[in-house]
Every structure is written in structure tokens, then in C-alpha cells.
Amino acid sequence: MNHFEVVKRQVAGTQAAKLGQPFSDEEPGKPVCLITPPSSFLLDERVFMTLGILKVAAALEAAGQTVEMLDLSGIENYTDAARDHARNSGARCFGLTATTPQLPAAVVIARAIREVRPDAKVILGGPHITLVSAARKRELNKGINGRATKAFEKLQGLFDVLVAGDGESSIFQAIRDDSADFVDADDPRSEMFLKNSQLSSMPMPARHLVDVSSYHYQIDGTSAVSMIAQLGCPFGCGFCGGRESPMLRRVRMRSVESIIGEIVYLHRTYGYNGFMLYDDELNVNPKFLVLLEAISDTAKSLNTAFSMRGFIKAELFNDAQAEAMYRAGFRWILTGFEAASPRILKNINKKATLEENTRCLEIARRHNLKVKALMSVGHPGESRETMAATKDWLLEMRPDDFDISIITTYPGTPYYDHAVPHEIEPHIWVYTVNGDRLYSHEVDYTAVADYYKGAPDGGYKSFVYTDYISAEEIVCVRDEMERDIRSELQIPFNSSAAAIRYEHSMGQFGGGLPEHILRRSEAKPAVGGDALGLGLVQLQAFSHAVGM
């Protein structure tokens, strides 16, 4: 298939035909309702839209399925909105996505739907169930009836169908009348596990099903939108989720032309010149420099300038990448340096040394790239001294922005999967590496979410501790670090935005929900026909950029 055909196929939204999807048992006019739960733990919930569930919506639309998209991000009384919509909707299948911090809200939404629609099939997909499933597989392989297995069984009691892994194809299995109660797409042997070619030809996320204008993010004053160019991270950091999950561990790449096609579509359709690439590490892509050159050529062909932001892996970063990133429009990079203590970096299994982290910052500075340093505390061996080392390094290196999180032992992370029960203390788990221990409190992730980032000035909690520092001390030292560093570097605290209250009377009598909460497709592909508006000049520019 030549370059022009690849772009045209993506534009036409032919993913369903490409994958050979079985059409659902749903009647042609009966919608499937997809739901994004709120993220009340965030300072502002309407910064980045949730792209994963919008990719699922696009696959359904491409197969001719009508989709209702219920976006509850930033809605204070979200259960009222969910209940009112379920009462009035013609959908029988309701699919929710959830990260681990979103899970308590997803559980509440599922119960609200069932209150008014006992006939409904409620489906859970997304990162949390994928992580739990991966942890459970490890336990089953080892003959252990552990906490991941128990967490999985609890979720089975709360939802009708659980979907692990890629949702774009597995959704068609989940909504069938005769579906199993568990659909496993987190298996490379499965046809539901997306390959590179499928990622490149699938329709773009169905952003038309959310109120794009209500999401507000800027890169140095330029309005920006998020997108995903590749999936997966091959590294094995102890705190990171999905190290046992092929979906999250295996790197899968979209083609350069499909990425460029989406950039041009977002520019032409919504007027965006700012793009946040939400990939784990852009520079694990062997064609990274080719992509950057294509982005540069695209900006020139559109007679505009892009402002871009993305994540990179510190030890892989070099001057050639930095120069090409700036030329393509990147003005910010984000890097998970995590810590400055060599002991902690070793215990994390970070694969980057303090010297390499320092070199990364120096390279970025040489090429006028701003750096947000992503740091974390609460690792095995953590102490006041190791946290002080992180503070001193940040003050010495003076990044343009930074973040200091407290680690949580999520299912699917080595810190969770490889931990064992404490010999004496109940509900305490112990992870050991290089002779250092990390203790974590048992957390019911279906009900608790306050372990996640709190308000940056006094809103954090810790559910972990070590032999050298208590959970309470971790919080106190972290808060002091943030205040002192922000004061010294003159970096303000991030601002917050209040949740919006849904006017309950609008939906309870069948009046419908407002468009910033609910949108409905008309069973058309996410992007159809010539909607992308790509002219011959742009297509030729893309072909030239990728050497085709």
C-alpha cells in the first residue's frame, strides 16, 4: 500500500473492515453508551480528553454502530447525570473506562445505572482492569490465590463484562449478547491485540463526541490538544504499571504518515497548532528523527508554526534529537528522572544514572528546550537523606518545571506484584530489592483514591513507608521540598478549576443532557470522506518527509 492509500484509509475510518470486526448483536439503531468517569483527584479535569475510549468510539462508528458518549470529566454531581441518561437512553450496553484512581467513581456510576436500568450490561475496560488482569495472570502462573486474583473477582461482581487490553476490537466481543464475562485482549496471540499496521490505519479518536472547546491546555500560550503516536514502554521501573502487561510493555508504533495525518486533521478541523504527544518515551522510536523531520515539513507546508510537548527517556536523549525536536516545534520535554540518589535509582531499576539525567538537562538547555522534571518519593530505601538529594539536585539543575509525586503500589507494578504479606502486621505488604524494603498499606481501589496526587500544597497522602522514613514523614518532607523549590526557582503552584454542576432538572424528565456532557453519533465513521481536507501539496510534503 503506498503512502497516499495509507492516509486515505485512515481518513475514511475503515478500521472495522480492516480488522474484519464481527458486527455487534445490537440492533442497528440501538446505541452503545461509552462513559468517561470523572477524575476528581485532578486539579483541573478538563485539560486532556481521554483518548482511549474515543478510539473505541471511533471503531464502533466505523462499523456502523451508533455511539453515545457521556463525558463526566469535571462534573460534580456525575451520578445524577449518569442516572438520568441511563433512564432515558435507548442503549443496553454501557461501557466505562477507568484508571486506578478513577475506579471508585466508575463503581458508583455502574451502581447508578443499575438502579434505573436493571436490564443494562455494564462493561469495564481501561488501564485498571488491564493491570489487575496482568497481575492475576502472574499469580495463576505461580499457583497463587493472591490479592490480584481477589481484586479481579471483586470487579467481576461489580461489572457484567471485564475487558483487558486494547479496546478497539474487543468492544465488539464485549457487547455481544453471548459475550463472556471476561474479554482478554492483552495477549499478543489474540486477534484483538493491535499490530502496528492496525494502529496506523485505524480511525482517529472520535473527538467530535466530546466538547473539544471545553478542554483547555496551552503550550507557551498556544492552544494545544493531546494525541498518541505510539504505545508501550519497554523498561522495567519498579513503580510503573503494566510491566507484566503486553499492551503496556510492548512498544507499538504508528506510521509517520498516520501521525502526520492526525496532526493536519486537528490543525484544519479545530485550528490547533499545539500538540502534546502523550507517548511514554518518544525517543524509543527508531524513526523518531524521521517523524520530527516530517513534522517540520508539515508545519512549513501549512505555513504555520507548531508548539509541541512530549516525554523522552533521559539516557537515550542526544543532541541530534534535541536539535530536531526544536526545529519541529517542541518547546518542552518531560522526563521521569524520579530521584537523585544512586541508591534509589538502582532500586527503582530506572536504567538511567544521575550523570545521564544531568546530561539530559544540559542537552535540552543547549537547544532551548524547557524541561519538566518528573520526580517521585516513597521508593524502597527512601529516607530523609535520599529525598534531600533529590531536592539538592533540582535546586542545582534548575529545571523549568517539576513535579514530586508520592509512589502508590498499583496492581500491575513490580512494587505490587512482587510484594509479600508482612510477617506480623496485618494488611501490610513488603517489597524487597537490593536489601531495601518498601512497605505498603492494603488499599481497596474500588473505594479509595486519595493516594493519588493531592493539591500540591498540603493535599498529599502516603500509603507507603520504609525502614528509614514513615508515611507521615514522607508527606511532610515532600510538601516542604515542593514549597522550597518553587520558592527558590520562582515556579508557581499549578492552578485548579472547580467542577461544574450538572443541572439535575435538565435530564430527569427526559430533557436530555447538555452537549458538554453528552454527544451522540449518527453511526458514521469518526472521520469520513474528504473530511481531512488534505490537498495534493500536503500529501506530497508528507511523502517527501518520509522518503516515499
Side-chain angles (χ1 to χ4, degrees):
M1 183 184 299
N2 65 32
H3 169 71
F4 292 89
E5 290 170 341
V6 169
V7 175
K8 288 176 182 177
R9 175 163 290 199
Q10 181 194 21
V11 172
T14 56
Q15 172 66 0
K18 173 79 174 176
L19 290 177
Q21 306 284 20
F23 200 82
S24 74
D25 290 342
E26 293 297 283
E27 300 171 14
K30 188 180 288 294
V32 171
C33 180
L34 300 180
I35 304 173
T36 300
S39 303
S40 55
F41 45 86
L42 296 179
L43 291 175
D44 186 346
E45 298 184 51
R46 294 232 170 186
V47 176
F48 299 119
M49 61 194 76
T50 302
L51 295 181
I53 198 165
L54 294 179
K55 290 169 67 180
V56 173
L60 285 167
E61 286 188 318
Q65 178 69 59
T66 302
V67 178
E68 294 175 343
M69 187 69 227
L70 191 63
D71 185 2
L72 299 176
S73 303
I75 305 303
E76 181 183 2
N77 54 335
Y78 61 90
T79 52
D80 289 337
R83 190 181 294 109
D84 286 350
H85 177 62
R87 183 185 291 114
N88 299 319
S89 174
R92 191 183 71 86
C93 292
F94 294 80
L96 294 98
T97 185
T99 61
T100 301
Q102 287 177 312
L103 185 63
V107 169
V108 171
I109 292 168
R111 289 171 177 158
I113 292 171
R114 287 210 175 95
E115 285 177 16
V116 296
R117 289 288 305 280
D119 64 314
K121 174 187 279 193
V122 185
I123 303 164
L124 177 69
H128 179 77
I129 179 55
T130 300
L131 293 172
V132 171
S133 171
R136 169 178 172 261
K137 287 178 184 177
R138 181 179 182 276
E139 291 181 350
L140 293 176
N141 289 336
K142 291 183 171 292
I144 301 171
N145 184 23
R147 57 177 173 167
T149 300
K150 293 180 175 65
F152 184 89
E153 292 170 349
K154 185 169 186 176
L155 290 173
Q156 284 187 309
L158 294 168
F159 298 90
D160 297 302
V161 182
L162 303 177
V163 178
D166 298 323
E168 291 88 340
S169 182
S170 56
I171 185 63
F172 293 92
Q173 297 296 328
I175 64 178
R176 294 180 65 93
D177 287 339
D178 60 351
S179 68
D181 60 4
F182 176 51
V183 179
D184 187 7
D186 192 21
D187 182 349
R189 297 167 297 181
S190 167
E191 292 183 356
M192 297 179 290
F193 190 88
L194 298 180
K195 310 302 187 289
N196 287 354
S197 60
Q198 294 165 329
L199 288 173
S200 296
S201 62
M202 68 195 311
M204 301 174 211
R207 293 179 179 88
H208 59 280
L209 291 180
V210 295
D211 182 9
V212 173
S213 65
S214 69
Y215 284 85
H216 39 268
Y217 178 66
Q218 293 188 340
I219 300 174
D220 290 346
T222 299
S223 293
V225 65
S226 58
M227 57 181 292
I228 297 173
Q230 65 194 44
L231 300 174
C233 172
F235 299 97
C237 298
F239 62 86
C240 189
R243 299 312 82 202
E244 306 280 351
S245 163
M247 172 197 173
L248 298 168
R249 187 76 185 262
R250 291 198 179 190
V251 177
R252 292 172 288 169
M253 307 286 185
R254 291 172 58 187
S255 67
V256 169
E257 52 266 58
S258 83
I259 298 166
I260 295 299
E262 185 169 357
I263 288 174
V264 174
Y265 168 73
L266 292 170
H267 170 77
R268 288 186 174 273
T269 304
Y270 299 104
Y272 282 115
N273 282 325
F275 303 97
M276 170 68 188
L277 295 184
Y278 236 95
D279 312 342
D280 281 307
E281 291 97 11
L282 287 164
N283 59 341
V284 302
N285 183 350
K287 293 186 177 180
F288 184 41
L289 292 177
V290 175
L291 172 62
L292 294 173
E293 189 65 29
I295 294 172
S296 298
D297 287 353
T298 300
K300 292 176 185 176
S301 72
L302 295 172
N303 194 28
T304 190
F306 294 147
S307 292
M308 305 189 73
R309 196 169 184 251
F311 296 84
I312 57 99
K313 194 77 169 73
E315 70 271 27
L316 303 179
F317 196 48
N318 58 44
D319 283 286
Q321 292 173 4
E323 180 182 0
M325 288 183 81
Y326 189 86
R327 190 167 60 249
F330 279 86
R331 294 300 176 262
W332 282 86
I333 61 172
L334 301 90
T335 306
F337 300 117
E338 308 305 342
S341 163
R343 175 180 180 176
I344 299 299
L345 290 172
K346 180 181 179 182
N347 286 348
I348 290 173
N349 192 30
K350 188 62 189 172
K351 302 300 184 185
T353 65
L354 179 61
E355 291 73 24
E356 287 171 326
N357 289 341
T358 298
R359 181 182 61 86
C360 174
L361 266 163
E362 291 170 346
I363 291 172
R365 194 162 287 137
R366 280 200 295 271
H367 297 277
N368 297 312
L369 291 170
K370 299 174 187 175
V371 178
K372 181 168 184 177
L374 306 176
M375 318 302 290
S376 54
V377 296
H379 297 284
E382 199 76 82
S383 65
R384 284 182 173 270
E385 289 73 24
T386 60
M387 293 176 73
T390 294
K391 177 181 178 180
D392 292 343
W393 184 75
L394 288 171
L395 290 173
E396 177 187 355
M397 297 308 301
R398 305 182 72 84
D400 302 278
D401 198 1
F402 71 98
D403 188 28
I404 306 175
S405 300
I406 297 176
I407 287 303
T408 297
T409 56
Y410 291 129
T413 67
Y415 285 2
Y416 178 102
D417 296 350
H418 298 185
V420 298
H422 195 286
E423 293 182 354
I424 300 173
E425 297 292 334
H427 310 300
I428 300 293
W429 292 76
V430 186
Y431 170 84
T432 305
V433 60
N434 300 320
D436 282 324
R437 290 181 290 269
L438 177 68
Y439 304 92
S440 59
H441 292 270
E442 184 72 69
V443 176
D444 180 0
Y445 289 109
T446 66
V448 178
D450 57 359
Y451 51 82
Y452 193 76
K453 294 180 183 181
D457 192 9
Y460 275 76
K461 290 187 178 181
S462 176
F463 289 79
V464 298
Y465 61 96
T466 73
D467 288 319
Y468 314 105
I469 189 167
S470 68
E472 294 75 18
E473 287 178 298
I474 288 174
V475 174
C476 290
V477 175
R478 192 223 73 88
D479 290 352
E480 180 182 277
M481 289 171 64
E482 178 147 22
R483 286 193 298 269
D484 291 351
I485 295 169
R486 288 191 182 277
S487 175
E488 175 65 25
L489 302 186
Q490 297 184 353
I491 299 173
F493 283 98
N494 295 319
S495 59
S496 61
I500 301 170
R501 188 163 183 82
Y502 154 65
E503 181 52 57
H504 185 36
S505 62
M506 295 173 66
Q508 62 182 336
F509 301 117
L513 276 65
E515 278 203 336
H516 68 276
I517 298 177
L518 174 66
R519 295 196 175 189
R520 177 186 172 106
S521 70
E522 297 301 329
K524 295 178 182 177
V527 181
D530 294 323
L532 190 54
L534 289 175
L536 182 60
V537 173
Q538 281 74 36
L539 287 173
Q540 289 175 334
F542 302 158
S543 296
H544 174 72
V546 298
M548 299 188 71

